[in-house]
Amino acid sequence: VANRRSPVRRRTVDPARRAAFDALRTVHTDGAYANLVLPPLLTQRRITGRDAGFATELLAGTCRLEGTYDQILVAASGRQLGSLQPAVTDLLRLGCHQLLSMRVPTHAGVAATVDLAAATVGERVTGLVNAVLRKVAARSYEEWTDDLSAGLSPGDALALRTAHPRWVVDAYADLLPADEVERALDANNDSAPVSLVVRPGLATVDDLLDAGADPGRWSPYAASWSGNPAELAAVRDGLAGVQDEGSQLAAWGLTRAPAEPARGAAWWLDLCAGPGGKSALLAGLAGHDGARLLAAELAPHRARLVAQGLRAYPTPPAVVVADGTRPAWRAGVFTRVLADVPCTGLGALRRRSESRWRRSVADVEQLHPLQVRLLTAALGATGGGGVAAYVTCSPHRRETVDVVEEVLAGRDDVEVVPASSVLPELPENAFTEAYLQLWPHRHGTDAMFAAYLRRLT
Ligand SMILES: C[S@@+](CC[C@H](N)C(=O)[O-])C[C@H]1O[C@@H](n2cnc3c(N)ncnc32)[C@H](O)[C@@H]1O
């Protein structure tokens, strides 16, 4: 029977877009992390160079801006997204990102998404995908968000424009001067640079610079890298790793606060060590100081990652699977203790592109008691004259200052060591009260928080 419809254009599927689509489906169906799902897909399918860069930006950007794209899609399609097949919604989200944020020309972005729809869901949805994306492309991101903001409160409009849930906007507004809030939220929508860290004693920053890396901005152990870190021999051999400079500074600060060693050999403790970035830095710095590190982690698979990160040290620190709130060690024996506690990760949203839509304010409240218990345990492990660091990669007050104040209330055996005295190289705006508080829009790091606390007795 002759096909009476107009002849179907020959379809080709772009492998980079296909990889981004498959990864996005896994993010949504399995609750996977975008930055972990895509790289193996790219390797498997031999997608490299510019195509790999395109797929990475397409997936990360789509995940970050998803909440706003969904509102645009509802307006453009005239239907609730729940009435669409989930795979079609994901195709439309990827189309939105190309058309509104990646400067892909309209005809290319629409045609490539329609072809992808035909190859993945089926020919029957191509008309819908084509029609909705043409409507989306008729306006810019700013025009859409301006239109959709009509009648919204300033907070809701900011949430829509910067693509954050409202509770995150409110938390930022609570922490920053009014004229910085939008810039801070926008900074979560930029891709974070790859920051490298050397394992002190095993490699130097000069080794990384000689291999083509650029100097870091703040940390004496950092360098920055624009390609795939696995291309560097030092990273493959465990002499260097990937770590945000904010994390490096928080850990370095702990090693710089004056501390009296407990009797005998000095021991340091990393109470919540997995996956091991800070342990790997601390182990080298402990070595310089004649101290030894013990790394503890609750989750066995994460403890294995810690050990893997420490493998290049000639005498690797001991790694134990342990619940930090039920110490497997004697009280008061450590000179330096790091409590880098589980948190919402609100300070690393630019790296964890999907996480802002998964977290809720309930998570903050749920984590708070565990954070209090872990800091209390860290202080219990610290000897008189020793120092503990309480660290989060969230700036949320309930996870930072509130935890420290709650733990210190009524205690006269602990003093706060001003973070500015420990990290004097940093500008004044890196500190809030006596604590370290970094920000992507100010310092180019994740929004790390650190409090340094000395046990007096
Ligand atoms: C923010 S991460 C630590 C990151 C790590 N310091 C690094 O730099 O790679 C928090 C870790 O604490 C672990 N954790 C959660 N509850 C714990 C507990 N009760 N005792 C010890 N570790 C715990 C989590 O499994 C997670 O690996």
Side-chain angles (χ1 to χ4, degrees):
V1 179
N3 186 346
R4 285 169 193 280
R5 288 177 306 171
S6 57
V8 176
R9 195 170 48 81
R10 211 160 155 245
R11 301 201 182 281
T12 52
V13 172
D14 167 31
R17 288 177 169 90
R18 173 76 204 228
F21 171 76
D22 290 339
L24 187 60
R25 293 302 301 135
T26 311
V27 166
H28 286 141
T29 52
D30 297 357
Y33 299 115
N35 64 340
L36 297 186
V37 175
L38 187 63
L41 271 187
L42 296 177
T43 310
Q44 233 173 52
R45 300 180 189 182
R46 299 205 170 87
I47 300 169
T48 56
R50 287 172 62 117
D51 288 343
F54 181 87
T56 305
E57 165 51 30
L58 178 55
L59 178 66
T62 302
C63 289
R64 286 191 193 107
L65 302 179
E66 180 174 307
T68 294
Y69 290 154
D70 284 0
Q71 296 194 46
I72 293 173
L73 287 170
V74 168
S77 67
R79 49 203 282 187
Q80 292 305 313
L81 298 185
S83 69
L84 298 175
Q85 229 177 305
V88 172
T89 303
D90 278 346
L91 287 161
L92 292 172
R93 289 167 172 155
L94 291 166
C96 271
H97 192 62
Q98 292 169 64
L99 297 170
L100 300 180
S101 304
M102 284 183 84
R103 300 207 191 118
V104 173
T106 301
H107 65 273
V110 175
T113 311
V114 167
D115 288 353
L116 187 57
T120 53
V121 180
E123 202 61 50
R124 70 193 157 74
V125 297
T126 53
L128 170 88
V129 169
N130 182 51
V132 174
L133 288 184
R134 285 197 178 283
K135 278 205 173 165
V136 168
R139 294 183 215 181
S140 67
Y141 183 90
E142 289 69 29
E143 287 166 346
W144 273 114
T145 52
D146 280 355
D147 277 10
L148 293 172
S149 294
L152 295 185
S153 68
D156 285 341
L158 185 57
L160 179 75
R161 197 159 64 241
T162 61
H164 285 77
R166 176 63 197 263
W167 73 273
V168 178
V169 172
D170 291 345
Y172 273 51
D174 201 34
L175 294 162
L176 287 164
D179 62 348
E180 272 188 55
V181 175
E182 182 153 6
R183 247 182 329 127
L185 294 164
D186 277 340
N188 291 335
N189 295 336
D190 294 334
S191 301
V194 176
S195 182
L196 303 173
V197 61
V198 291
R199 313 276 186 246
L202 300 183
T204 64
V205 167
D206 281 342
D207 295 336
L208 298 180
L209 301 186
D210 289 346
D214 293 314
R217 184 162 168 200
W218 308 106
S219 157
Y221 307 104
S224 87
W225 183 250
S226 48
N228 175 357
E231 290 161 11
L232 280 166
V235 172
R236 286 196 306 274
D237 297 341
L239 311 178
V242 174
Q243 186 177 45
D244 178 67
E245 279 201 62
S247 289
Q248 298 180 38
L249 292 172
W252 185 40
L254 170 63
T255 70
R256 292 175 100 201
E260 297 290 325
R263 266 178 298 126
W267 276 88
W268 297 4
L269 172 66
D270 186 352
L271 191 68
C272 305
K278 293 185 193 67
S279 277
L281 177 56
L282 287 177
L285 298 177
H288 285 174
D289 225 36
R292 302 273 341 251
L293 177 74
L294 173 68
E297 163 60 44
L298 182 64
H301 70 283
R302 288 171 78 84
R304 276 196 292 281
L305 295 176
V306 179
Q308 213 179 343
L310 296 168
R311 70 188 184 284
Y313 284 108
T315 320
V319 180
V320 293
V321 175
D323 180 343
T325 64
R326 304 170 65 195
W329 39 81
R330 277 194 298 136
V333 293
F334 293 95
T335 313
R336 299 184 194 274
V337 178
L338 174 66
D340 183 18
V341 300
C343 70
T344 56
L346 227 52
L349 293 181
R350 56 195 190 143
R351 293 185 195 282
R352 303 176 196 158
S353 44
E354 70 294 320
S355 87
R356 73 188 69 174
W357 307 112
R358 288 194 183 154
R359 291 290 189 184
S360 75
V361 76
D363 296 320
V364 176
E365 288 310 321
Q366 202 194 332
L367 284 160
H368 181 87
L370 175 62
Q371 293 164 342
V372 166
R373 287 206 307 277
L374 284 166
L375 174 54
T376 305
L379 288 169
T382 309
V387 176
Y390 174 78
V391 174
T392 63
C393 64
S394 167
H396 198 291
R397 207 182 152 87
R398 284 295 284 160
E399 303 186 76
T400 58
V401 179
D402 281 4
V403 172
V404 176
E405 285 180 353
E406 194 171 321
V407 170
L408 295 195
R411 283 184 80 145
D412 56 8
D413 61 339
V414 180
E415 71 176 6
V416 177
V417 181
S420 56
S421 72
V422 169
L423 294 163
E425 301 81 356
L426 298 184
E428 223 175 277
N429 70 3
F431 305 102
T432 177
E433 302 171 38
Y435 311 120
L436 175 71
Q437 180 59 72
L438 298 164
W439 289 98
H441 70 289
R442 288 184 184 171
H443 311 104
T445 64
D446 291 346
M448 298 298 297
F449 170 89
Y452 302 104
L453 307 170
R454 180 179 292 112
R455 274 292 298 258
L456 298 172
T457 54

